[in-house]
């Protein structure tokens, strides 16, 4: 592969790459989202058991997946950061955290809105819901800790520990519906067997999941640029940027 | 299209509050996140510009 990993590990080079990438990612996420909503709300049939109420799935499942994927991505960048001591890793982890917290919040919130009509309760302390709530606190803990330490490199290292240790919670969330007797249902989609959903429902959900995935890539590449600017603002390359030096006149 | 009218669409078979509540809170959060990210970028740029002015 000709991708120059170490070249783009330098904040200066990644800043330029991210600037070129994010508008395309944002456009793609929007297109996928429109397609997903169309399939989910205009084409997909009603559910035999839950009627139209099941349509919450088109946001609930994608946001829940993202809440777990983003935490794993944070752990991945943290391991890279601690191993190679690259500056970009810490910034990537920090850029991911707010989106992860938001998706976890949305997972809990849309879950409550689904639980009320179907189970008769907004909340229940079962393993799936409780472990997802713990994930939310892990995100908040990461954000609070990293913003409380003034030295950014030290903050990154402390945060990396939370990200790595906390990652153990992700498989617990994922397998909680198998390991314990939960009110929350098991997976409708898995890699090992064919999905237990109608085709159009499945397509709507997958399109929405893809849309949220690309949206996350877009917002994280956008956000990491602000972090790079903020941290590297004393350097010659930032001051030579047209958007910085051009503003002087 | 599987809806006969808009009112049927908004009603969602009686689950309107839950379905549209979920969609609304998701849209709201994403909108807020995009807005906050833009603010942060503006602030970071302004900070870098001040730095550049002081240096020159």
């Amino acid at each position: 592969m000709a991708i120059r990993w170490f070249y783009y590990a330098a904040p200066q080079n990644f800043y330029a790459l991210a600037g070129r990438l994010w508008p395309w990612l944002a456009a793609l996420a929007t297109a996928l989202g429109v397609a997903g909503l169309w399939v989910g709300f205009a084409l997909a049939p009603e559910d035999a058991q839950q009627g139209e109420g099941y349509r919450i799935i088109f946001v609930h499942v994608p946001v829940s997946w993202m809440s777990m994927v983003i935490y794993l991505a944070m752990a991945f960048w943290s391991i890279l950061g601690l191993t190679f001591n690259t500056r970009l890793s810490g910034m990537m982890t920090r850029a991911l955290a707010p989106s992860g917290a938001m998706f976890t919040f949305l997972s809990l919130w849309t879950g409550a809105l689904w639980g009320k009509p179907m189970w008769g309760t907004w909340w229940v302390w079962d393993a799936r819901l409780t472990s997802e709530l713990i994930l939310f606190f892990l995100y908040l803990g990461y954000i609070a800790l990293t913003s409380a330490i003034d030295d950014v490199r030290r903050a990154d290292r402390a945060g990396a520990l939370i990200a790595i240790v906390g990652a153990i919670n992700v498989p617990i969330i994922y397998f909680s519906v198998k390991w314990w007797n939960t009110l929350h249902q098991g997976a409708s989609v898995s890699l090992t067997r064919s999905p237990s959903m109608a085709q159009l429902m499945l397509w709507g959900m997958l399109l929405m999941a893809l849309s949220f995935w690309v949206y996350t890539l877009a917002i994280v590449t956008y956000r990491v640029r602000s972090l790079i600017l903020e941290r590297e603002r004393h350097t010659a390359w930032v001051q030579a940027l047209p958007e910085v030096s051009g503003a002087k006149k | 299209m599987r809806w006969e009218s808009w009112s049927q669409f908004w009603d969602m078979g009686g689950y309107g509050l839950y379905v549209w509540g979920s969609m609304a809170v998701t849209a709201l959060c994403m909108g807020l996140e995009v807005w906050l990210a833009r603010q942060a970028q503006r602030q970071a740029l302004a900070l870098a510009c001040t730095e550049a002015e002081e240096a020159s």
Side-chain angles (χ1 to χ4, degrees), chain A residues 83-106:
Chain A
T83 316
F84 297 110
N85 203 23
T86 45
R87 284 173 295 165
L88 189 61
S89 313
M91 296 191 238
M92 289 303 282
T93 316
R94 289 220 204 179
L96 282 159
S99 295
M102 182 198 74
F103 280 123
T104 313
F105 168 78
L106 284 175

Side-chain angles (χ1 to χ4, degrees), chain A residues 8 13 15-24 225:
Chain A
Y8 285 116
N13 303 325
Y15 181 85
L17 177 71
R20 266 175 284 139
L21 276 180
W22 80 261
W24 293 100
R225 295 181 88 227

Side-chain angles (χ1 to χ4, degrees), chain A residues 41-42 44-45 50 52-53 55-56 99 102 106 109 113 117-118 212 215 222-223 226 233-234 239 243-244 247, chain B residues 1-3 12 15 18-23 25-26 29-30 33 37-38 41 44-45 47-49 51-52 55:
Chain A
F41 281 90
Q50 303 194 2
E52 310 292 359
R55 289 182 206 276
I56 296 171
S99 295
M102 182 198 74
L106 284 175
W109 193 279
L113 281 170
M118 302 304 165
F212 282 15
Y215 164 85
Y222 187 90
R223 197 184 279 129
S226 315
R233 62 178 187 273
H234 312 292
Q239 300 194 3
E243 59 264 46
V244 175
Chain B
M1 260 312 214
R2 45 177 319 287
W3 306 97
M12 274 290 146
Y15 293 110
Y18 305 105
V19 173
W20 297 120
S22 300
M23 297 296 146
V25 72
T26 306
C29 280
M30 285 175 146
E33 187 182 34
R38 292 193 82 111
Q41 176 68 5
L45 258 182
L47 214 61
C49 288
E51 192 84 25

Side-chain angles (χ1 to χ4, degrees), chain A residues 120-201:
Chain A
T121 176
W122 303 103
W123 179 262
V124 53
W125 290 100
D126 92 351
R128 172 56 72 81
L129 281 68
T130 308
S131 52
E132 184 75 12
L133 183 65
I134 291 171
L135 182 69
F136 186 55
F137 291 141
L138 282 169
Y139 278 118
L140 296 188
Y142 174 88
I143 294 169
L145 180 70
T146 48
S147 47
I149 302 174
D150 284 332
D151 179 345
V152 288
R153 300 303 299 278
R154 277 192 61 208
D156 282 349
R157 279 196 295 276
L161 283 179
I162 295 196
I164 294 167
V165 174
I168 190 71
N169 187 41
V170 173
I172 294 179
I173 298 171
Y174 189 78
F175 292 110
S176 59
V177 287
K178 278 190 184 168
W179 292 343
W180 291 285
N181 213 344
T182 55
L183 188 54
H184 195 288
Q185 64 166 67
S188 307
V189 179
S190 86
L191 296 174
T192 47
R193 55 185 175 79
S194 60
S196 56
M197 290 170 79
Q199 282 289 318
L200 280 170
M201 294 180 186

Side-chain angles (χ1 to χ4, degrees), chain B residues 4-39:
Chain B
E4 277 158 26
S5 67
W6 280 106
S7 59
Q8 197 194 21
F9 180 66
W10 296 120
D11 183 54
M12 274 290 146
Y15 293 110
L17 175 69
Y18 305 105
V19 173
W20 297 120
S22 300
M23 297 296 146
V25 72
T26 306
L28 214 69
C29 280
M30 285 175 146
L32 186 70
E33 187 182 34
V34 169
W35 184 76
L36 285 174
R38 292 193 82 111
Q39 293 294 105

